[in-house]
């Protein structure tokens, strides 16, 4: 067997305070960076589940007589509003607190 040309990298030579990126765990949900959110007109929703089928993040949750988005997960892409055959979902711009 042929020997390595270089010695293996020695990690003990790296300073402890070099680049402390990603050392603390933080939760980032897709809903944290949303620019628009879906709002459901409950009088138009017939629970056809088209929004649920097409949602790329699967944030649509079923209620007793309608569907709505879990805003912690919803990224505001608008697919649900575009696919709703009854036009029950509209995208509303987020307001800063």
């Amino acid at each position: 067997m042929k020997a390595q040309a270089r010695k293996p990298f020695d990690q003990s030579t790296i300073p402890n305070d070099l680049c402390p990126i990603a050392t603390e765990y933080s939760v980032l949900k897709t809903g944290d960076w949303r620019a628009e959110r879906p709002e459901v007109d409950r009088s138009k929703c017939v629970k056809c589940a088209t929004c649920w089928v097409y949602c790329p993040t699967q944030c649509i949750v079923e209620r007793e007589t309608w569907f709505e988005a879990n805003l912690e997960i919803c990224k505001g892409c608008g697919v649900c509003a575009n696919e709703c055959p009854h036009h029950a979902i509209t995208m509303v711009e987020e307001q800063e607190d």
Side-chain angles (χ1 to χ4, degrees):
M1 180 187 270
K2 195 172 186 178
Q4 272 187 305
R6 295 183 183 177
K7 291 183 179 180
F9 181 71
D10 182 14
Q11 292 185 355
S12 67
T13 61
I14 300 174
N16 289 337
D17 61 349
L18 181 65
C19 197
I21 296 174
T23 56
E24 294 181 21
Y25 178 73
S26 64
V27 176
L28 179 64
K29 297 179 181 172
T30 52
D32 291 343
W33 49 267
R34 176 183 60 246
E36 293 182 320
R37 72 178 186 279
E39 282 194 356
V40 178
D41 182 345
R42 296 176 185 176
S43 65
K44 292 182 180 179
C45 181
V46 297
K47 282 187 82 170
C48 65
T50 303
C51 56
W52 180 84
V53 169
Y54 284 98
C55 178
T57 58
Q58 289 299 292
C59 71
I60 305 296
V61 291
E62 185 177 6
R63 300 293 182 219
E64 192 171 318
T65 58
W66 72 93
F67 282 95
E68 69 183 9
N70 176 349
L71 296 179
E72 288 185 357
I73 303 170
C74 175
K75 62 182 181 178
C77 65
V79 170
C80 57
N82 289 331
E83 295 298 329
C84 180
H86 302 282
H87 307 290
I89 304 172
T90 55
M91 297 303 291
V92 178
E93 188 174 336
E94 287 283 5
Q95 302 295 321
E96 290 190 30
D97 294 334

